[in-house]
Every structure is written in structure tokens, then in C-alpha cells.
């Protein structure tokens, strides 16, 4: 029957013959999921060429690995062996697996993190009596080989190492309380995986076949209500059943710290204080030799070793605490067991990325009870940075440039270089965001305090800060502040792209953008010499425009580097003219600047115009001030920074290259060959040619008989764009004007390609289900960017998809929601910008009430603390004057200005409140208290206390809303009272949102960190090897790619989550199902912690994990994951997402596998209902599901309904596909069998009614007698046919009536069959009455 298909697409409607048990998840989702193979057509090529700004857009080298690089990777993979580390204390030795390519630092980290060696942090390693350098590779250690012994020796402490040791032990033993971080929100980096899997942990060991067919208690989807509204409960973490064991009461820095000078000379480093669970208080001295208990008290200072009553000392603080507290050892073991009960990935801190911040947090996380006392919390800054606070002052720019100049001659060099670069970017981003937050709050003094606020600049922690506004009047003619805000956003994307290209000799500053409290803050590393005026008043700009377009510099030393950049970006070398009309030749845009730093490095700045302007958009929606007939300013696009995306330029270049190659082939062969794909790029060779694959090749992989390939010389092909056309330049001579006109025409063609080709093709693919359907604004924007479509085309997208099919109507509604959310974001930023930070929650709550709360209160009032307001007398709190009517008008104006779309009169009542609220929170960095917000006066809407308590959000007791009822009340503790009071307060609130509902506002960050080219190359090489049927080497390369991703990015990183997802899919293809499940599980957890618990990519990871678990036979576990994904789907999109058809179909198949036939029937019915709504009742998609539903009805003993549904399927297949199609023939065969079976059942029923038979031996369900297909659980036509034949064996002959007559008999309208002549052919048959069994499996290409 139906086979499982991929999460997030509708490929089971393809109606092709399928032989696999389960259709694995394919790589065409819109959310940076794995790519498809190159043989799957035009859309795939567009996706691959435009994956994102930093992927394959003009890479500096070929993306495929050379054979020598593959060999190097495999050698590295194979050089893994075991060594033994000798320890000074128990357990005295431990075995560790190492690779010769690892650093000694990696070995040290492995020792520190091993359970038996937690206590060691300050030590060195020796081999054969020689000390090992910590900063070399293990391959450089002499005579290190398998089974070698390395000795660990404890070292004397320094103050820095003692502080690091104290921090490490505090975290290890659970002594650190909650931390309040300015850049990390509440519950940052949380995961719900354990709470989802906990419901089915007991079912994992139960075989699928052991389930009772009549029992639904074991199904996680029992009683699921498809039409119930979304519940915020789906993204709330469950309350822990018990608190983690407490090992000690406190560990902090002593008030006697730091040691006085004379004791520093004796080796005293710092003083600590410990309170054990037994209530004993100890003062600890950290000495260079060890930690020991001293004789100090709270009133007396005596830091020397105590001799009585409990003298104690140890090299490790962990060992010392174990000696002082009798209960510590057992409690520490219990803590380790508690931590190990959760997945290890949930306990690892996020170090290489900013953890995701949920937009809803449970009330237990936001009440006063959640904040616990911890003296050391305020001391951590000292423990990390030291007394002088000098360790955090880094020369960020020098670090970046040194990282760029690291060698990259071999694989080991590249691994170290990319690993160091990624960690550097992570450290810099964290430092930059911390500084940006305090700059936005006004806590850093500006370097130019006499300037206006927008023009002020700051330096903090060696990072340069400025506002993304036109404080210096640079963008006056381009749109002012709006243009400046867009320019800095384009600049950070340009920096990321240049970093990805990695051009030798071209340096970029570290760049991060932070949106916080309505302000856009640009964070840059300080380029040497940028603040130092040059001699003779010369400009600091050495290449490009100096002061707008008036002065132009063209220092020749920048030409080679800029020429390489232009080649990769397809930018044309062109002439520009300064204010005096002097001609200059530039390799890039006039706006892109080159600066020669005092360190003699060449820096590139202001990369916001690396691509041409979207001239068609500007001509339609922008009028320059110099034009004679200027449009009213209110109708102008907000700015003139409308540039095209690099993905579009690359895509168009490849299309033109394909056309050129075909023309060359025609010229050589004299005949036109069949075109494959207009957008599919040929294979570029190192010699500057294009290889065209022979017809003998299969799926792009050449066969042995087709080694010879025709090569087309592309050295004469040239296509590049002048980025300065339509930008105020005036050519001087006729030749220059003619060339300029040609350049303008090229750019116009590029803009036309975007509007006439790219946008319609994307809509077509979404309509036909060729790409995964977006779930929310983020996935829609990501899909558009991959295709080279700017967000400003959302309005055009909504117009082209409005009032079309149901599927496109869903896309139109999503585009409209995204436009409203983005318009509100700009409005909120305008009001927040002048609002003091303590009043920001009042501002946001009022704006949200005016947009989302008018159904509950149509006249909301701003709630402002009068005491706070009195402190800011000079601030104009204009947000308080906003009304629902004025806000609606502002949103309509913004949508019209930015997207050229008219919302209409009823838009304010047509959007999805909860989904729009989520979009607004994510865009503005808002974290709300989790409760059911009331958007209307619905009296049935209640606020269950379980929501604010954050209790478990699943049950299997049949309640359709997912809540638990009927339980007795328990006595409320402090936390529960806090939750209850919060709940009751929300219930009686006069407005939907109150300022106190906003728990936190976190910064929204955009960084410029490039992706790892080496890790991507290894992944691509593994895929390529598997495609060429080199499975062994392909798997080795895939494993190596995973290792590289983990080494370079760290385990918790969005890119690692994506590679986990991709590898899980590949391993499932290779029948390595256990490995696929493990990788998919990791993909889920890492996605949750780095992308968000309700991110669209997380949902797809859950859906794919469900498919893989089902493939392993764990259908109950799979259904739990699918239910959770559906709950998340409701939350971020709403009901009836077009791609949910596939997911519901998969769940129905799993239910059949569990022999829960009635539940399976319900899910198939819902699947068909949505499909008919999305694709139409007479579509092939609906026919396929009718076919599956008919089989499900037969399994559920509803023979008459099964016949009706199969007849519908047959009729649609016949009309849409014709009588000769395999699906038509198979549905005809099934219809005949089901009809005959239904007649047999009807006969027996009539006999029983007439008392002619006292006992009938009849199987009530035809298909129940058959064995389910392996891994799927669906009966095959052959098995059902055999069952029918067994029942017919007692009969003299087959009933010869037609299907219409048989149906009439089943429904009770016919008499007993009359004897007829020879059986007639079925009138529904075409081409004769032969059975025509198709021989295919029992699937209609699910």
C-alpha cells in the first residue's frame, strides 16, 4: 500500500513504481536541508547554485575534492589508535582513542572530560620521559604508536589556572546557580527531545506485532484532534520530576581574597570558601602546590594550613571537597547519574554559536522563585578575567588577519585554520554583542559626545561601534536613515561572502550587526590606522569613492585583489568619472572601498553594493530628487539601496553559460541535441572547458563505456555586470556612452530574468510540490534568497498566488503575514528607538495590543509606570498615543511602501494571531510569559494552569486538546503559587498583553562567519563516491566530513545539525538504519538548541526521525515524534499546511503497522480531506489517497465504503491518466476484488438474517488475513487476492455481475443473483477483461 515519503513534501503523489520499503526523506526542503543529486532537474540546479550567500557563489577553488585530498582524508581517518594514560591517582590509568592528526590539546580535553579524570586541569603529559608540547600534533610526538603509554603529571598552579580550576569544579559539581546573561535569553539553548521521547521509552522494547489490534492506549496519537487550535504547550519544557542532587551548599571566592603582597611571594593565589551539605564552613587557600583548608574565619585572617581538627589538602579542589564532606561522593555520583539520564548533547554548553532563545518561556522561569542566591555569580567575572581584567582585551583585528594568513597547503593546515577561524568568529560575535547591548543602553561613553546621537561612535573591548543610521548625511540622496540601515545589512552579507571566497591578500574587518531596542548597531574590528589622519590631509581611502562620487581613488596595489573578487562575483571592469569629469578604471563598485592599513594589509570596506541595482524596481517605485516630475515622497520606495542578490547573478551566469555551450555544440556537430535543463550548469574543468556527459551515462555518472567526453572551450565566454550603471555616472565620449548603454541593457536583462523567469518558476514548483512548502516567514525568506529573490518581492509573490489554487492561496497568506510582520517590526523600531530601556516593555506591550488584542479590547491603553515616566521628562513617549486605527494605517502604508501590496480593508481580522505573534517576537527579540493570550472575547477560552507551569505537553489518554483533566489538586508549593497568581492575573487582565508579560528582550544578531569549505568538500566527495557506487570510500568520506564538521564548528552548531540531517538521510538510503536514527536524533537536539525548538528545520528533523524510527521497527516512538512535529506545525503555521498531507499519510501507515486499523483509517480520511482541499477532488493526488483509504477501509471491516473509495480512485485515474496507466489498471484490479469480497460479505449477512445459516465461518476483514509489507505494514494486492480466492473456493464460480449491479446488491437494492450465460467482461475494463495484475507492490507511490 502506501509507503512513507519524505517529511515536508508530497512526492508520494508521483505515481511511479516503487520497490523500496520506505521512501527516504529527499533533499528538496526549503530550509537548508540536504540538496538533491545533480540529475533531478532545473530546480535542483537553482537550489545548488544559490544555496546561500556563502556557499557555491563563485567559490575560489573547485568544490569537488581532488583524488589526493580524498586520499589524505582517508589516511587521516584510518590513523586512529588506542593509547594508555597513566594517572597519579585512582583509577591510575585510562585508555583513550586518538588520531595522529589531532592536537595534543585535543588529548588534554579528552582527559579533562573523562568521568574518571574530572579533577585534572593543571598538568602536563610525558612520553618516554620527555615532556610533550601542548601545541603540536600527536604525529609529532616521537615514537607514539598504538598501545603507547603517556604519563600525566600534575603541575604547579598559576593564578589563572587556579581560577579556571575553580570555575570548572563549580560547574562540574552543580554549585553554579542560574546565570543572567545579556546576550542569552531565558532558557537559551533548551531542548524538548527528552520530554517527547520519555512518553514512549517503555514502548521501545515492545515489538510492533505484539500490539493488540483493538487497543489504542499504546498509540501516542490516539484521539488526536486535527482541527484543534495550536497550543503553546508544545514548546514548553516539562517540569523536572525532581531537582538535581545538591553536592554542596556553596562554593565562592572568600572575602579575604586577593592575597596580600607578602603572601603572594609565598605562593598564595586566591582564597575560596565552601559550605558543605552538613553545614560545615571551610576557608580554602589556593596555593601553587595544592588547595588546602586554612585557619581563617569570617573575622580572622590566617591563610596557613589548618592542623586540627580536619587537616586536608589535595591538588584538585574536587578531591579536597570529597575529603571534607562525607555525603559529597554519593551526591556527586547521583548528580552524574541525573545528568546522564538526559542525552549528552543536552548538557554540553553551546560555545561556537549563539544558542536559540525561545519566544515563549514558562512562568516558572520568569517568577521570583526561579532566581536563586549565589555569591559567586557576581564573582565569575573576576574568576574568568582576573583582578586586572586584562585577559579579555584582545586585538580582534590582528587575530582575524593572522587567522586568514595561516597556511592552507594541506588538509591538516586547513582543518586547523578553519577551526581556529570559526572559534575566533564565535568569540568575537559574543564580545561584540555584549558591547552592543550596553552601547544601546547608553552605558558606554561616545568618542564624539558633541555629535548627534546617530553620528556617535564608540570603542569598547577593542571593537568599534556605530549606529546603522545616516548620522553623517552620507546617504541623503539614497534614502537617509532607511538607506543607511539597509546598507549595513548588505555590508555584513558582503563581508560574509568575501570571507567565504577567501581571496589571498584581501582582508576584511570582523563585522557583526545587532538589532536591539530599536537600534541597529554595527560592530567592527578596528582596522589599523583608520583613526589616524594621514599626512598632508590625504584621504584614508585608497581605492573607490572617497567622498561619495566626487573624489575617486584608484591605487594600483588594490587592482589584483579586487580583480579576483570581481571575477568570482561576475563584476565588470569599468570606467567611472569623478566630479571634474576625470575618468578612473575600477574593478568593483564605486561604493566599495579599499584601505591600506598601517599594518600594510589591504582591507576592503563598504561591501553593500557588490551586485547591480534592481533598476526595474527603482524605475517603478523610486524618483530621484533631481527629476523634474518627482513623485510624492510618501509613494517612493523607502530607499535606493535595492540591489540584486549574488545568488541571482550566479544563477543567470550559469544559464547563459549553458546556452553558450549548447550553441558551441551545435556549431561543432551541426545538429541540435535535445536540451536537458536550461538552468543546469555543465561541469567546469580545470582547463577552462566544459565536459558534457555522454548518453551512456546514468544519473550524471559516466559508465565504463563512455569515458570519452566532448569538451567545449569556454575561454571565449564572458558575462559580467557593471555595478555602477544607473548610479549617477555620466560617460564622456560616444564610445563610452555606447558601452554604458550595453552595460545597462545587461543589467536590465538580469532584472527581467528575475521577474519573468525566477519568480514564476518558484511559484510553479511550489504549486506542483517540487520543493518543500515553506512553514513560516523564516523558511519563506530563506527559500526566496536561495532563488535570488529579494524580500521586497513578497508583494509580487502574494499577487501572483492570490485566488489561485488552495496550495498557492496558502503561500499568498504566508507572504501577507510576513509583510505584516516586517512592517510592524519597522514601526516598532521607530517607537523603540527613542524610548528609554526601562519603558521598552510598555511600548511593545501597547503596540502588540493595538495589533493583536483589539478583538479582546478595542481601545487598549498604554500601561506606563508613572514613577519611571517621571524620571524621563525630556523623552516624548509617542508610543502611548498609538491607537489600533493609527497602527493599522501605519502597517498598510509600510506594506505598500516596502512591498507594493495593498492589504485590503479586512486584513486586520484575517491573520492568524498566534502565528503572527511568534513572527513578531522572533523578529524583535521578545520573550513572552507562556500563557494562552486572549485575542477575542471567546467565553470558552480558558487558561489552564498547566500551561504556565510548563508541565508535560503530551498524553495518550484520548483527550484531543492535549491537556490532562480530572486529576486531584495538590497542595501548592511556592513555585505553584507563583504560577497560579500569574495565571489568575492573566485571566483578569483588561488587555491581551501587559508589560510584565514581556520577560526579556534579547539582541537579534547577524554575523559574517564563513562556512567551512573543507567540511563541505568532504561531504560532497562522499556523496559523489556513493553516487558512483563506491560505497566503502563514500562512507569513509562521509564519516570524515562529519568529523570535520564537529571539529571545525563544535558539536552544537546549526551547520552541524544540517550535516547530521543530511548524513542520516544518506545512511538510511544505504540501509544503515541504526546509524541513520542516531544521526537524526542528534540533528533534532542540535537543531533545537541552536535554531529553536519550533524552527522549521527542527520540525523537519523530527519528521525524518519519525520515519527512520519506523524503519527500525519503533513505530510507537515514531508516532510520538510525528505528533510533536504536528503540534509544532500548528503553532508556527496553523492548520492544514499543504505538506502536512505527507506527514499524516506517514502516520497512517505507521498505525496500520501497529494494527490500529481504525485509527489508521481516521488519519487516511483526514489526509484525503486536506489533499482534496489543496489539490482538488479530481486530482491524481486525491486519487492516490482514495486508493490508500480504500485499503484502510477494507482493513477496518468497512467493505462497502472501501468499494466506493476504490471506485472514486479508479474513475480519477481513468480520466486523468488513461486506461493504460499502471495506476488505472491496478485500481481496477483492486476494485474488482473489493467488490467481490463485499458481495460475499453481503450474501452471508442476508443468509444470517434469513436464518438459513446458523453459523458462518467468515473473516470479517479481508486484508487482516494478509501479512503486512515489511517495514510498512500495508497489505499487498497479491495477498488480498489469495485471501479472496480462498473464500471463493467453496463457490461454484465468480459472480458475473457488473460493478454497478454488485454495488446495488451490497446496498440492499438487488435480488438474488440469477443464472446467466457466460460471464461478460467488466464494462469498466479497457482492452479486454483479462485480470491484468500489474505485478507491482501494494503501493501507489506513497
Amino acid at each position: 500500500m502506501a509507503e512513507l515519503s519524505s517529511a515536508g513534501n508530497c512526492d508520494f503523489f508521483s505515481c511511479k513504481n516503487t520497490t523500496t520499503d520506505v521512501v527516504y526523506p529527499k533533499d528538496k526542503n526549503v530550509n537548508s536541508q540536504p540538496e538533491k543529486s545533480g540529475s533531478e532537474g532545473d530546480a535542483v540546479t537553482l537550489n545548488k547554485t544559490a544555496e546561500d550567500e556563502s556557499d557555491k557563489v563563485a567559490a575560489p577553488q573547485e568544490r569537488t575534492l581532488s583524488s589526493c585530498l580524498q586520499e589524505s582524508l582517508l589516511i587521516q581517518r584510518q590513523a586512529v589508535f588506542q593509547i594508555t594514560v597513566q594517572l597519579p591517582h585512582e583509577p591510575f590509568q585510562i585508555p583513550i582513542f586518538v588520531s595522529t592528526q589531532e592536537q595534543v590539546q585535543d588529548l588534554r580535553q579528552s582527559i579533562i572530560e573523562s568521568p574518571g579524570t574530572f579533577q585534572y586541569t593543571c598538568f602536563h603529559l610525558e612520553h618516554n620521559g620527555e615532556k610533550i608540547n601542548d601545541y603540536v600534533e600527536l604525529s609529532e610526538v616521537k615514537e607514539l604508536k598504538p598501545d603507547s603509554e603517556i604519563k600525566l603529571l600534575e603541575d604547579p598552579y598559576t593564578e589563572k589556572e587556579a581560577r579556571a580550576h575553580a570555575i570548572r569544579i563549580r560547574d562540574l559539581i552543580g554549585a553554579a546557580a542560574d546565570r543572567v546573561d545579556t546576550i542569552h535569553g531565558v532558557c537559551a539553548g533548551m531542548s524538548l527531545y527528552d520530554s517527547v521521547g520519555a512518553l514512549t521509552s517503555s514502548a521501545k522494547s515492545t515489538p510492533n506485532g505484539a500490539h493488540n489490534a483493538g487497543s489504542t492506549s499504546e498509540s501516542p496519537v490516539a484521539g488526536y484532534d486535527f482541527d484543534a487550535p495550536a497550543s503553546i504547550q508544545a514548546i514548553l519544557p516539562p517540569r523536572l520530576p525532581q531537582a538535581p542532587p545538591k553536592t554542596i551548599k556553596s562554593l565562592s571566592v572568600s572575602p579575604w581574597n586577593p592575597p596580600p603582597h607578602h603572601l603572594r611571594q609565598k605562593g598564595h593565589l586566591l582564597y575560596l570558601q565552601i559550605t558543605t551539605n552538613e553545614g560545615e564552613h571551610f576557608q580554602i587557600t589556593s596555593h601553587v602546590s595544592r588547595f588546602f583548608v586554612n585557619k581563617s574565619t569570617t573575622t580572622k585572617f590566617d591563610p596557613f594550613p589548618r592542623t586540627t581538627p580536619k587537616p586536608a589538602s589535595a591538588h584538585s579542589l574536587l578531591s579536597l571537597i570529597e575529603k571534607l564532606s562525607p555525603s559529597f561522593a554519593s551526591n556527586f555520583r547521583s548528580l552524574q547519574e541525573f545528568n546522564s539520564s538526559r542525552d549528552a548533547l543536552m548538557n554540553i554548553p553551546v560555545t561556537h554559536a549563539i544558542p536559540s532563545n525561545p519566544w515563549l518561556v514558562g512562568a516558572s522561569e520568569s517568577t521570583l522563585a526561579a532566581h536563586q542566591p549565589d555569591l559567586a555569580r557576581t564573582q565569575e567575572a573576576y574568576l574568568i578575567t582576573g583582578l586586572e581584567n586584562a585577559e579579555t582585551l584582545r586585538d580582534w583585528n590582528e587575530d582575524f588577519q593572522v587567522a586568514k594568513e595561516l597556511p592552507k597547503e594541506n588538509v591538516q593546515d586547513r582543518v586547523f585554520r578553519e577551526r581556529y577561524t570559526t572559534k575566533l568568529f564565535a568569540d568575537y560575535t559574543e564580545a561584540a554583542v555584549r558591547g552592543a547591548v550596553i552601547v544601546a543602553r547608553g552605558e558606554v561613553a561616545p568618542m564624539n559626545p558633541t555629535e548627534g546621537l546617530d553620528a556617535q561612535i564608540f570603542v569598547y573591548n577593542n571593537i568599534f561601534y556605530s549606529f546603522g543610521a545616516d548620522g553623517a548625511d552620507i546617504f541623503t540622496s539614497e534614502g537617509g536613515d532607511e538607506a543607511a540601515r539597509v546598507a549595513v545589512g548588505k555590508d555584513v552579507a558582503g563581508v560574509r561572502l568575501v570571507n567565504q571566497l577567501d581571496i589571498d591578500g584581501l582582508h576584511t574587518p570582523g563585522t557583526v550587526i545587532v538589532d536591539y531596542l530599536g537600534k541597529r548597531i554595527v560592530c567592527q574590528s578596528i582596522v589599523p590606522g583608520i583613526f589616524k589622519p594621514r599626512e598632508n590631509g590625504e584621504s584614508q581611502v585608497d581605492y573607490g569613492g572617497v567622498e561619495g562620487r566626487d573624489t575617486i581613488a584608484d591605487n594600483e596595489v588594490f587592482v589584483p585583489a579586487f580583480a579576483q573578487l570581481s571575477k568570482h562575483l561576475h563584476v565588470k571592469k569599468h570606467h567611472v568619472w569623478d566630479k571634474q569629469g576625470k575618468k578612473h578604471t575600477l574593478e568593483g563598485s564605486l561604493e566599495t572601498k579599499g584601505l591600506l592599513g598601517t599594518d600594510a594589509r589591504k582591507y576592503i570596506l563598504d561591501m553593500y553594493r557588490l551586485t547591480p541595482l534592481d533598476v526595474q524596481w527603482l524605475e517603478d517605485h523610486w524618483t530621484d530628487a533631481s527629476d523634474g516630475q518627482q513623485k510624492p515622497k510618501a509613494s517612493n520606495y523607502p530607499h535606493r539601496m535595492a540591489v540584486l542578490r549574488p545568488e541571482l547573478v550566479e544563477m543567470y551566469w550559469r544559464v547563459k553559460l549553458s546556452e553558450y555551450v549548447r550553441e558551441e555544440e551545435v556549431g561543432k556537430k551541426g545538429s541540435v541535441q535535445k536540451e536537458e535543463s536550461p538552468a543546469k550548469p555543465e561541469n567546469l574543468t580545470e582547463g577552462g572547458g566544459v565536459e558534457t556527459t555522454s548518453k551512456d551515462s546514468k544519473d550524471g555518472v559516466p559508465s565504463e563505456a563512455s569515458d570519452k567526453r566532448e569538451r567545449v572551450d569556454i575561454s571565449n565566454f564572458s558575462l559580467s555586470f557593471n555595478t555602477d550603471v544607473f548610479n549617477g555616472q555620466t560617460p564622456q565620449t560616444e564610445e563610452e556612452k555606447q558601452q554604458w548603454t550595453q552595460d545597462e541593457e545587461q543589467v536590465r536583462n538580469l532584472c527581467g530574468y528575475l521577474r519573468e523567469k525566477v519568480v514564476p518558476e518558484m511559484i510553479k514548483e511550489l504549486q506542483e510540490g517540487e520543493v518543500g512548502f515553506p512553514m513560516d516567514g523564516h523558511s519563506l525568506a530563506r527559500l526566496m534568497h536561495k532563488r535570488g529573490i529579494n524580500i521586497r518581492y513578497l508583494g509580487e509573490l502574494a499577487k501572483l498566488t492570490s485566488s489561485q489554487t488552495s496550495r498557492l492561496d496558502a503561500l499568498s497568506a504566508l507572504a501577507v503575514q510576513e509583510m505584516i510582520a516586517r512592517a510592524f517590526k519597522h514601526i516598532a523600531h521607530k517607537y523603540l528607538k527613542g524610548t528609554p530601556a526601562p519603558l521598552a516593555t510598555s511600548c511593545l506591550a501597547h503596540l502588540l495590543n493595538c495589533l493583536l488584542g483589539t478583538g479582546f479590547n478595542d481601545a487598549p491603553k498604554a500601561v506606563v509606570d508613572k514613577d519611571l515616566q517621571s524620571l524621563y521628562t525630556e523623552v516624548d513617549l509617542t508610543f502611548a498615543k498609538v491607537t489600533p486605527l493609527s497602527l493599522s494605517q501605519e502597517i498598510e502604508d509600510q506594506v505598500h511602501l516596502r512591498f507594493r501590496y495593498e492589504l485590503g480593508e479586512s486584513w486586520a481580522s484575517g491573520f492568524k494571531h498566534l502565528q503572527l505573534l511568534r513572527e513578531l517576537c522572533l523578529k524583535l527579540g521578545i520573550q513572552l510569559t507562556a500563557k494562552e493570550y486572549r485575542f477575542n472575547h471567546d467565553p470558552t477560552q480558558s487558561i489552564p494552569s498547566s500551561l504556565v507551569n510548563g508541565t508535560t505537553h503530551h498524553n495518550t489518554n484520548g483527550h484531543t486538546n492535549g491537556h490532562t483533566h480530572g486529576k486531584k489538586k495538590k497542595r501548592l508549593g511556592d513555585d505553584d503559587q507563583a504560577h497560579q497568581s500569574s495565571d489568575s492575573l492573566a485571566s483578569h487582565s483588561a488587555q491581551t498583553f501587559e508589560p510584565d508579560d514581556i520577560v526579556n528582550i534579547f539582541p537579534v544578531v547577524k554575523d559574517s562567519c564563513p562556512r567551512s569549505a573543507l567540511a563541505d568538500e568532504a561531504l560532497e566527495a562522499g556523496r559523489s563516491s556513493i553516487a558512483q557506487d563506491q560505497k566503502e570510500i563514500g562512507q569513509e568520506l562521509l564519516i570524515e566530513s562529519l568529523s570535520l564538521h564537529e571539529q571545525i564548528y563544535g558539536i552544537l552548531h546549526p551547520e552541524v545539525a544540517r550535516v547530521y540531517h543530511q548524513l542520516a538521510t544518506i545512511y538510511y538510503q544505504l540501509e544503515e538504519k541504526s546509524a541513520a536514527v542516531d544521526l537524526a536524533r542528534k540533528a533534532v537536539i542540535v537543531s533545537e538548541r541552536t535554531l529553536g525548538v519550533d524552527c522549521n528545520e527542527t520540525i523537519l528533523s523530527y519528521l525524518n526521525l519519525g520515519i527512520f524510527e519506523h524503519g527500525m521497527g519503533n513505530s510507537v516512538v515514531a508516532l510520538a515524534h510525528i505528533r510533536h512535529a504536528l503540534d509544532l506545525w500548528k503553532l508556527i503555521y496553523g492548520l492544514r499546511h499543504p505538506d502536512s498531507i505527507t506527514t499524516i499519510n506517514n502516520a497512517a501507515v505507521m498505525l496500520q503497522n501497529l494494527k490500529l486499523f481504525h485509527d489508521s483509517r481516521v488519519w487516511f480520511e483526514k489526509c484525503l480531506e486536506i489533499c482534496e482541499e489543496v489539490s482538488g477532488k479530481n486530482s491524481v493526488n486525491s486519487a492516490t489517497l482514495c486508493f490508500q483509504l480504500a485499503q484502510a477501509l477494507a482493513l477496518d471491516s468497512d467493505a462497502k465504503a472501501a468499494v466506493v473509495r476504490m471506485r472514486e480512485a479508479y474513475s480519477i485515474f481513468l480520466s486523468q491518466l488513461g486506461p493504460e496507466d499502471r495506476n488505472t489498471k491496478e485500481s481496477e484490479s483492486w476494485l474488482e476484488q473489493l467488490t467481490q469480497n463485499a458481495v460475499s460479505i453481503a450474501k452471508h449477512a442476508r443468509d444470517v438474517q434469513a436464518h438459513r445459516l446458523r453459523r458462518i465461518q467468515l473473516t470479517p476483514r479481508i486484508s487482516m488475513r494478509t501479512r503486512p509489507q515489511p517495514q510498512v505494514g500495508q497489505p499487498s494486492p497479491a495477498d488480498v487476492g489469495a485471501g479472496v480466492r480462498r473464500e471463493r473456493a467453496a463457490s461454484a464460480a465468480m459472480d458475473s455481475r457488473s460493478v454497478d449491479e454488485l454495488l446495488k446488491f451490497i446496498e440492499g437494492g438487488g435480488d438474488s443473483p440469477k443464472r446467466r450465460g457466460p460471464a461478460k467482461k467488466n464494462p469498466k475494463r479497457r482492452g479486454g477483461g483479462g485480470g491484468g495484475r500489474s505485478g507491482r507492490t501494494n503501493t501507489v507511490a506513497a
Side-chain angles (χ1 to χ4, degrees), residues 1026-1190:
I1026 289 176
Q1028 296 173 22
D1029 204 21
Q1030 299 175 358
K1031 181 177 178 181
E1032 184 175 349
I1033 188 174
Q1035 286 186 292
E1036 288 287 347
L1037 287 168
L1038 291 176
I1039 294 172
E1040 184 57 38
S1041 171
L1042 177 59
S1043 175
L1044 289 173
H1045 275 84
E1046 292 177 340
Q1047 287 184 61
I1048 292 170
Y1049 292 113
I1051 295 180
L1052 297 179
H1053 193 278
E1055 293 300 328
V1056 176
R1058 292 172 184 132
V1059 80
Y1060 280 146
H1061 180 99
Q1062 296 177 49
L1063 292 184
T1065 302
I1066 295 173
Y1067 272 87
Y1068 195 78
Q1069 286 180 260
L1070 299 174
E1071 295 297 321
E1072 301 282 351
K1073 295 182 179 180
S1074 179
V1077 168
D1078 185 60
L1079 290 169
R1081 174 185 57 80
K1082 292 180 179 179
V1084 165
I1085 298 175
V1086 179
S1087 293
E1088 285 184 323
R1089 300 198 61 194
T1090 60
L1091 296 170
V1093 292
D1094 58 348
C1095 175
N1096 56 292
E1097 293 184 57
T1098 301
I1099 294 175
L1100 292 174
S1101 295
Y1102 265 113
L1103 293 175
N1104 289 327
L1105 176 60
I1107 294 174
F1108 301 159
E1109 286 281 10
H1110 173 75
M1112 287 287 292
N1114 300 324
S1115 297
V1116 174
V1117 179
L1119 287 170
H1121 294 316
I1122 285 184
R1123 173 170 182 152
H1124 180 65
L1126 287 174
D1127 288 339
L1128 295 178
W1129 217 331
K1130 282 186 183 180
L1131 190 66
I1132 75 170
Y1133 174 82
L1135 304 174
R1136 299 172 179 268
H1137 187 275
D1139 282 356
S1140 64
I1141 300 169
T1142 304
T1143 301
I1144 297 173
N1145 181 79
N1146 289 343
V1149 172
M1150 296 175 189
L1151 287 167
Q1152 280 193 351
N1153 194 47
L1154 293 173
K1155 295 187 171 61
L1156 301 176
F1157 298 120
H1158 182 72
D1159 287 351
S1160 174
R1161 165 188 178 167
V1162 171
W1163 282 68
F1164 273 124
E1165 288 173 343
K1166 176 56 65 174
C1167 187
L1168 176 60
E1169 177 187 334
I1170 299 175
C1171 181
E1172 290 179 343
E1173 178 183 317
V1174 171
S1175 303
K1177 195 165 186 177
N1178 294 320
S1179 65
V1180 176
N1181 300 354
S1182 298
T1184 305
L1185 285 174
C1186 277
F1187 187 100
Q1188 298 170 353
L1189 177 57

Side-chain angles (χ1 to χ4, degrees), residues 483-512:
R485 185 182 183 90
V486 172
V488 297
K490 298 291 184 184
D491 181 45
V492 74
V495 173
R496 185 189 309 117
L497 180 55
V498 174
N499 287 339
Q500 189 69 40
L501 295 175
D502 196 16
I503 298 172
D504 292 335
L506 193 60
H507 298 261
T508 60
T511 308
V512 171

Side-chain angles (χ1 to χ4, degrees), residues 172-398:
L172 185 63
I173 65 177
D178 59 300
R179 292 181 171 92
V180 179
D181 201 309
T182 55
I183 67 171
H184 300 159
V186 182
C187 296
M190 74 173 185
S191 172
L192 302 177
Y193 174 78
D194 275 1
S195 63
V196 176
L199 298 171
T200 56
S201 58
S202 61
K204 287 183 179 180
S205 58
T206 305
N208 288 335
H211 293 291
N212 187 348
S215 171
T216 61
S217 61
E218 296 183 30
S219 169
V221 297
Y224 187 79
D225 189 351
F226 295 96
D227 299 320
S231 172
I232 62 174
Q233 206 173 8
I235 61 172
L236 297 183
R239 178 179 293 177
L240 295 176
Q242 60 181 5
K246 201 168 183 63
T247 56
I248 62 172
K249 290 186 177 180
S250 69
L251 169 59
S252 61
V253 179
S254 170
W256 299 113
N257 199 70
H261 292 290
H262 68 284
L263 292 178
R264 282 180 178 271
Q265 305 303 319
K266 296 181 179 294
H268 290 212
L269 302 175
L270 70 155
Y271 303 128
L272 306 173
Q273 56 185 5
I274 296 174
T275 303
T276 65
N277 284 348
E278 291 78 14
E280 293 187 272
H281 185 79
F282 298 94
Q283 294 282 341
I284 307 295
T285 295
S286 173
H287 192 264
V288 291
S289 61
R290 65 197 188 285
F291 290 86
F292 60 81
V293 178
N294 63 38
K295 294 185 284 188
S296 297
T297 65
T298 55
T299 58
K300 177 185 175 183
F301 180 59
D302 188 356
F304 295 100
R306 186 173 70 175
T307 56
T308 57
K310 282 187 178 181
S313 66
H315 189 270
S316 170
L317 189 57
L318 184 71
S319 302
L320 177 61
I321 298 174
E322 186 174 355
K323 294 179 180 179
L324 297 177
S325 173
S327 63
F328 175 80
S330 60
N331 288 336
F332 184 57
R333 283 193 298 271
S334 300
L335 178 64
Q336 289 179 285
E337 293 172 359
F338 178 86
N339 291 334
S340 63
S341 64
R342 309 176 67 204
D343 193 282
L345 289 175
M346 300 174 66
N347 297 323
I348 299 174
V350 182
T351 57
H352 286 62
I354 295 179
S356 64
N357 296 308
W359 63 280
L360 283 176
V361 295
S364 60
E365 304 294 339
S366 59
T367 58
L368 298 178
H371 197 56
Q372 299 295 323
D374 182 14
L375 181 62
R377 184 162 41 215
T378 58
Q379 302 168 343
E380 282 189 345
Y382 159 74
L383 290 173
I384 294 172
T385 63
L387 191 62
E388 306 299 330
N389 197 27
E391 295 174 14
T392 59
L393 296 179
R394 298 174 60 176
D395 188 342
W396 293 107
N397 189 76
E398 183 64 19

Side-chain angles (χ1 to χ4, degrees), residues 600-647:
R601 295 187 178 107
K602 295 182 284 292
Y603 292 89
I604 179 172
L605 306 173
D606 294 346
M607 287 160 277
Y608 51 81
R609 195 168 284 176
L610 296 177
T611 53
L613 290 169
D614 188 351
V615 58
Q616 290 189 7
W617 181 273
L618 292 177
E619 288 178 345
D620 292 342
H621 308 303
W622 174 269
T623 302
D624 290 320
S626 59
D627 291 352
Q629 297 179 349
Q630 181 180 359
K631 299 177 185 177
K633 186 176 181 181
S635 66
N636 258 358
Y637 191 62
H639 56 83
R640 200 176 180 276
M641 301 298 297
V643 297
L644 299 170
R645 293 191 63 84
E647 296 92 340

